[in-house]
């Protein structure tokens, strides 16, 4: 792929971000100037970035997307600012994670609001588009190949997880164990209180133990022998990467915002000690998932169609 072609694809993504900024930013502006709906239990659909802050976030996202499309050289400050804006969008819609979990369990809470849910989904969509635009900019300006950013020679691809990725997976599991230990100390009966809670705990085990270990294990690339009909076949990368990156980002955003609220003195039915321990454990789980997923992506991606590496 030529540099001009890669730049053209980056411009297409930038236009998509601009369209999102106009549409979603227009909604935020209308709610800010007019009368915004009241969304329980927090009164707003977003966290932290409400009112004019949400409008400014949309404007900044559109502006930085244009800058990414026009830039011809690698500028770390620009890329860092873009990733920061994307992280802010995900953090603002942090409530989306427990809502998705409740929908998967067919048990949405009484405070679930379809309009607020759609708004948070739209906010995360902007973050995803900006992330793709930023990644395209990095590949176009930082690597030997404008399409994949690879600089290593053929035949030198790494086939085993990096040591730091293994430690990240172990940190993720340690975060899960710490979270359960804190729950046992405070409310041991809460783990098996009802069917929805049991389903949530099973999901936590899958996300915090099975998934990170699969990301750094051979059985995360090829189906084990004990899996009927699939044994020996290659596991689709997206089967692990989508939940790895998605859950990792969602957990970090949700519990990062939660820790911010605890630090600011927000009231809760639980003690501050429990909240600090449990939420910090969740943060470790999410960060471990993100790191292990990044290594899995780099290790298992196929050869580039443009450069052959």
């Amino acid at each position: 792929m030529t540099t001009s072609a890669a730049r053209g694809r980056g411009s297409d993504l930038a236009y998509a971000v601009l369209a999102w900024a106009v549409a979603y930013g227009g909604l935020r502006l209308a709610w800010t100037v007019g009368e915004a709906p009241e969304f329980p239990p927090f009164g707003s659909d977003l966290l932290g970035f409400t009112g004019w802050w949400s409008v400014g976030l949309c404007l900044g996202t559109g502006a930085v997307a244009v800058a990414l499309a026009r830039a011809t050289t690698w500028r770390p400050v620009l890329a860092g600012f873009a990733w920061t804006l994307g992280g802010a969008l995900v953090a603002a819609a942090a409530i989306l994670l427990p809502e998705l979990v409740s929908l998967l369990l067919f048990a949405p809470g009484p405070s679930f609001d379809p309009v607020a849910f759609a708004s948070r989904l739209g906010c995360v969509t902007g973050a995803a588009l900006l992330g793709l635009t930023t990644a395209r900019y990095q590949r176009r300006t930082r690597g030997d190949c404008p399409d994949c950013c690879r600089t290593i020679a053929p035949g030198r691809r790494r086939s085993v997880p990096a040591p730091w990725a293994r430690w990240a997976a172990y940190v993720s599991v340690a975060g899960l164990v710490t979270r359960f230990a804190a729950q046992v100390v405070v409310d041991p009966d809460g783990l098996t209180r009802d069917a929805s809670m049991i389903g949530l705990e099973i999901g936590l085990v899958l996300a915090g133990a099975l998934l990170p270990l699969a990301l750094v294990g051979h059985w995360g690339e090829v189906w084990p022998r004990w899996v009927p009909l699939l044994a020996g076949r290659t596991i689709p990368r997206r089967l692990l990467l989508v939940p790895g990156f998605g859950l990792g980002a969602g957990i970090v955003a949700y519990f990062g915002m939660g820790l911010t609220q605890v630090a600011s003195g927000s009231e809760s039915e639980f003690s501050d000690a429990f909240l600090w321990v449990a939420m910090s454990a969740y943060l470790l789980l999410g960060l471990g998932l993100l790191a292990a997923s990044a290594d899995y992506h780099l290790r298992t991606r196929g050869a580039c169609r443009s450069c052959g590496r």
Side-chain angles (χ1 to χ4, degrees):
M1 177 180 289
T2 64
T3 302
S4 59
R7 186 172 182 178
R9 291 176 61 180
S11 298
D12 292 342
L13 285 170
Y15 290 139
V17 177
L18 274 177
W20 171 89
V22 170
Y24 191 72
L27 174 66
R28 305 308 311 184
L29 179 61
W31 282 357
T32 300
V33 175
E35 184 176 352
E38 286 288 331
F39 297 110
F42 302 105
S44 176
D45 55 325
L46 301 181
L47 295 177
F49 297 90
T50 58
W52 288 108
W53 284 104
S54 64
V55 177
L57 193 59
C58 293
L59 290 175
T61 300
V64 79
V66 173
L68 290 169
R70 292 180 176 272
T72 57
T73 58
W74 169 241
R75 301 175 183 176
V77 174
L78 176 60
F81 185 60
W83 287 118
T84 300
L85 279 176
L89 288 169
V90 174
I95 307 176
L96 189 64
L97 176 64
E99 284 186 328
L100 289 174
V101 172
S102 67
L103 289 176
L104 289 175
L105 296 175
F106 301 101
S111 61
F112 177 80
D113 188 293
V115 176
F117 176 78
S119 175
R120 288 188 275 267
L121 199 60
C123 189
V124 171
T125 299
L129 290 173
L130 181 59
L132 290 173
T133 304
T134 309
R136 175 60 57 185
Y137 161 73
Q138 292 183 175
R139 291 174 179 175
R140 176 168 53 86
T141 61
R142 198 175 61 176
D144 287 351
C145 175
D147 191 45
C148 71
C149 196
R150 297 178 188 173
T151 58
I152 60 175
R156 297 179 59 188
R157 294 165 56 85
R158 182 164 51 82
S159 60
V160 296
W164 57 264
R166 293 188 184 276
W167 279 109
Y170 300 150
V171 165
S172 184
V173 175
L176 176 69
V177 173
T178 303
R179 162 64 180 85
F180 279 137
Q183 180 71 39
V184 169
V185 171
V186 175
D187 183 19
D189 296 332
L191 295 175
T192 56
R193 182 170 297 156
D194 51 47
S196 62
M197 181 58 67
I198 294 175
L200 177 61
E201 306 300 340
I202 293 175
L204 279 174
V205 171
L206 293 176
L210 185 64
L211 180 56
L213 294 179
L215 288 167
V216 297
H218 179 68
W219 54 281
E221 300 178 37
V222 178
W223 290 105
R225 290 179 298 177
W226 48 267
V227 178
L229 304 179
L230 297 175
R233 296 187 179 183
T234 301
I235 297 178
R237 298 174 68 244
R238 293 182 181 179
L239 189 63
L240 296 184
L241 287 177
V242 171
F245 280 121
L247 286 174
I251 289 172
V252 170
Y254 182 74
F255 291 101
M257 293 296 286
L259 278 178
T260 301
Q261 292 180 336
V262 173
S264 63
S266 178
E267 295 183 359
S268 172
E269 61 180 304
F270 300 104
S271 67
D272 286 349
F274 170 77
L275 292 175
W276 276 108
V277 172
M279 290 187 177
S280 298
Y282 274 124
L283 272 181
L284 289 177
L285 192 158
L287 291 171
L289 269 179
L290 288 175
S293 298
D295 177 80
Y296 183 87
H297 163 66
L298 295 174
R299 191 177 75 252
T300 61
R301 59 185 178 176
C304 176
R305 296 180 180 179
S306 299
C307 67
R309 283 176 282 191

